[in-house]
Amino acid sequence: MDAGWLTREWVSRLVVGEGLCPFAHPVMQGLRIEVCDDRDLRRVTARFMDLLTEVAEADPQQLPTALFVTPQVLASFDEYWNWSMICDELLAQMGYEGLLQLATFHPLYQFEGEDADDASNFTNRSPFPMLHIIREEDIENALASVASPEKIPERNQ
């Protein structure tokens, strides 16, 4: 099955459809889904860095947000989590801290201190390992329009 199509269906039906992220619907039209089928983590990371640059330099109206999907690597959640921390550090080193931030999603997502089958983990479970590149300005604008934004994680759980 096509990873890009399945990811878009997941976003549309679950993330937007079930209201898990109140900020997702407005940017759904401009959502970029970049599927990297490479099996070499160095090349995957290089492609991720290219996408970071592309999002950072793009007109926010043309490219508001992007999902970087890695269906061929990072099946282990621990390996994925370590890689996501490296990507977060790369974002800062590239000078995008304060402009962009990352959200993490994985098929086996597990919040620290939670049991693997705890329902709270499902808010961050996705069909494939992926990173969501988000503009911080969009988050700030969205938070300003949501009543009690601090309750979003609790509601989702």
Side-chain angles (χ1 to χ4, degrees):
M1 185 164 286
D2 178 78
W5 179 86
L6 188 56
T7 299
R8 189 166 297 279
E9 285 295 301
W10 170 75
V11 171
S12 179
R13 292 182 185 196
L14 184 67
V15 178
V16 174
E18 295 297 324
L20 291 180
C21 179
F23 323 127
H25 188 271
V27 296
M28 189 67 187
Q29 286 289 85
L31 173 64
R32 166 97 173 267
I33 297 175
E34 179 78 20
V35 176
C36 180
D37 283 319
D38 208 307
R39 294 178 189 270
D40 181 286
L41 197 52
R42 288 176 298 201
R43 288 193 301 260
V44 169
T45 304
R47 288 206 35 211
F48 172 74
M49 292 170 64
D50 290 344
L51 183 59
L52 269 179
T53 300
E54 188 176 342
V55 173
E57 294 177 359
D59 178 338
Q61 299 300 318
Q62 300 299 313
L63 182 54
T65 189
L67 288 172
F68 185 76
V69 183
T70 62
Q72 303 300 324
V73 294
L74 304 165
S76 156
F77 180 70
D78 288 336
E79 181 184 14
Y80 165 81
W81 188 253
N82 291 334
W83 179 76
S84 75
M85 295 296 103
I86 291 167
C87 289
D88 207 36
E89 182 60 33
L90 288 169
L91 182 147
Q93 289 176 10
M94 293 171 73
Y96 300 139
E97 194 169 40
L99 175 67
L100 302 174
Q101 67 177 254
L102 303 178
T104 53
F105 298 93
H106 190 276
L108 301 174
Y109 203 97
Q110 184 173 346
F111 286 105
E112 187 174 352
E114 298 291 341
D115 291 332
D117 60 353
D118 191 275
S120 65
N121 296 317
F122 287 87
T123 62
N124 286 62
R125 289 199 176 163
S126 57
F128 306 101
M130 64 181 76
L131 289 174
H132 184 191
I133 303 169
I134 312 165
R135 294 178 186 279
E136 287 198 10
E137 184 178 0
D138 289 345
I139 293 172
E140 292 167 10
N141 292 339
L143 288 174
S145 67
V146 174
S148 304
E150 70 280 357
K151 293 182 180 180
I152 293 170
E154 180 182 316
R155 178 184 54 87
N156 286 351
Q157 289 175 1

